[in-house]
Amino acid sequence: VRQAADLIHGAGTSQCLITTDAGQPYSPWPDDELRAFMNCLFDVGFDEKEIRRMMVDNPAKLLGLS
């Protein structure tokens, strides 16, 4: 998580997306995995606005939904 946080800080939250590749058989559901990673990001100092930007706003912008 620390390495991911360092990379995010280097690029800036406006340039990052938080996604998951979970969901394979015998793996956690994608929403559970994403929630766990989000909580880890909170633990290393990201705030709700930054996490929302990376998980909701940036993907919507990339897909032309906002």
Side-chain angles (χ1 to χ4, degrees):
V1 174
R2 175 64 15 217
Q3 184 179 15
D6 290 344
L7 292 169
I8 293 168
H9 284 302
T13 59
S14 64
Q15 301 298 315
C16 294
L17 304 176
I18 302 298
T19 64
T20 178
D21 65 350
Q24 299 84 11
Y26 310 107
S27 294
W29 287 98
D31 59 329
D32 291 333
E33 200 68 23
L34 199 55
R35 185 178 307 107
F37 188 63
M38 177 192 68
N39 286 327
C40 290
L41 292 175
F42 275 125
D43 290 344
V44 296
F46 288 93
D47 63 29
E48 184 177 344
K49 183 179 177 183
E50 293 170 312
I51 292 172
R52 179 177 174 78
R53 181 180 300 132
M54 295 183 287
M55 292 178 69
V56 178
D57 301 337
N58 292 346
K61 184 190 242 182
L62 181 67
L63 294 170
L65 301 174
S66 64

